[in-house]
Amino acid sequence: MKTVDDLLSAVLAGELGPDPAELTATSVFWIHHGTRLAGGNVTYLNQYVLTRVGGSFGGCAFEAGEIDPAICADASGSPLATLLREAPRPLQMAALDAYLAAVQPHRDAPDAEAVTLPAGPPEVRAVARDAAIAGLLDIGRGAKVALIGVVNPLIAAIRERGGDPLPCDFNLRTTQWGDPVSTDMHEVLDAADAVVATGMTLSNGTFDTILARCRERDVPLIVYAQSGSAVARAFLGAGVTALSAEPFPFSQFSAEQTALYRYRAAPREKDGS
């Protein structure tokens, strides 16, 4: 599968698990969440739509105004296949995420490395989370790392590993340290030695472009995903090099220990080996 639409088609055809027409989106709900970390100058405002299927949740962030909360009443109790075919893109991705997480929960995946985030305040947990994400980078000192979807602690974590961040975001103009943030995804993709992208790219439709460009340039792509973590997992070894998957409830919604799951694609064999 080369694109998210390929993955959707395979799920709807029952090629990856049970027929989604026979599954129910028991609950669809909406969260609006704001965070400003101590010492920071940015208030992160995030909206999520989430879907429950059996014992699993799927989630996807979206831009303000893209979905109305009333969709929760309309969609809750729908056949999952209906959401996969007809829902707005963020809810469609949440439904796809829930389906894939139900078929293979992260906690049971044999290739997942569970990382426990410590209990404590948001600043402690955010630093631990972003250090775990940056730990998936295999880069030399001075490597240019495109960061598509800017989180300040992750900028710091990339620098601590010797990388030179190339931040890109639709909503931010500078980092906490005054670094300019590009709004041109193609600019940073063409310059990068490695790419780190948020799962929200599944919602805004840029994931396929990022995936294709990283394949073309043969540069590693690391995805850090609260949005669509099980969706991004489906592309491990097919453009995605590594993944930090954080299923719901996300780390910012708890002060207790929680887990994220790191995946690495199997190393590719070189021609002639």
Side-chain angles (χ1 to χ4, degrees):
M1 290 175 285
K2 293 185 177 181
T3 69
V4 175
D5 283 345
D6 291 340
L7 180 61
L8 264 172
S9 296
V11 167
L12 285 166
E15 296 174 6
L16 302 181
D19 183 349
E22 298 178 358
L23 300 176
T24 299
T26 308
S27 177
V28 174
F29 56 108
W30 182 95
I31 297 174
H32 187 162
H33 181 256
T35 298
R36 178 176 289 200
L37 299 176
N41 59 358
V42 176
T43 300
Y44 300 99
L45 296 175
N46 298 309
Q47 295 78 218
Y48 303 90
V49 63
L50 298 113
T51 303
R52 182 169 190 167
V53 176
S56 296
F57 292 88
C60 190
F62 59 92
E63 296 290 348
E66 193 174 358
I67 288 181
D68 188 284
I71 199 171
C72 301
D74 296 335
S76 293
S78 297
L80 192 64
T82 300
L83 301 186
L84 293 174
R85 288 193 174 96
E86 301 174 8
R89 184 72 171 186
L91 178 52
Q92 185 184 50
M93 289 300 100
L96 181 60
D97 189 34
Y99 176 90
L100 295 170
V103 170
Q104 177 65 86
H106 292 295
R107 62 182 176 274
D108 298 334
D111 53 344
E113 173 200 2
V115 176
T116 300
L117 302 181
E123 295 76 18
V124 170
R125 289 170 57 75
V127 168
R129 185 197 68 176
D130 292 337
I133 296 167
L136 292 168
L137 279 168
D138 183 14
I139 55 173
R141 184 159 295 277
K144 296 185 182 301
V145 181
L147 178 59
I148 300 176
V150 174
V151 180
N152 282 313
L154 188 48
I155 292 278
I158 291 170
R159 285 194 169 121
E160 287 174 6
R161 293 191 66 82
D164 178 14
L166 304 177
C168 179
D169 198 287
F170 289 142
N171 298 312
L172 295 179
R173 294 298 170 263
T174 63
T175 69
Q176 180 179 338
W177 303 274
D179 309 290
V181 175
S182 175
T183 58
D184 185 348
M185 179 181 71
H186 300 283
E187 177 182 67
V188 299
L189 285 175
D190 289 345
D193 301 307
V195 177
V196 180
T198 176
M200 191 175 175
T201 55
L202 290 161
S203 174
N204 64 26
T206 58
F207 180 82
D208 286 344
T209 299
I210 295 167
L211 194 69
R213 191 68 183 125
C214 288
R215 287 178 183 137
E216 290 167 4
R217 296 194 58 233
D218 196 24
V219 298
L221 170 60
I222 294 88
V223 179
Y224 67 104
Q226 293 181 336
S227 297
S229 58
V231 179
R233 182 180 62 184
F235 294 92
L236 275 170
V240 173
T241 309
L243 167 67
S244 172
E246 197 176 334
F248 185 80
F250 308 139
S251 59
Q252 63 267 38
F253 299 138
S254 176
E256 304 303 319
Q257 289 187 349
T258 57
L260 59 77
Y261 300 88
R262 299 199 303 186
Y263 297 82
R264 293 175 175 85
R268 291 183 303 175
E269 292 185 3
K270 296 182 178 178
D271 293 340
S273 62

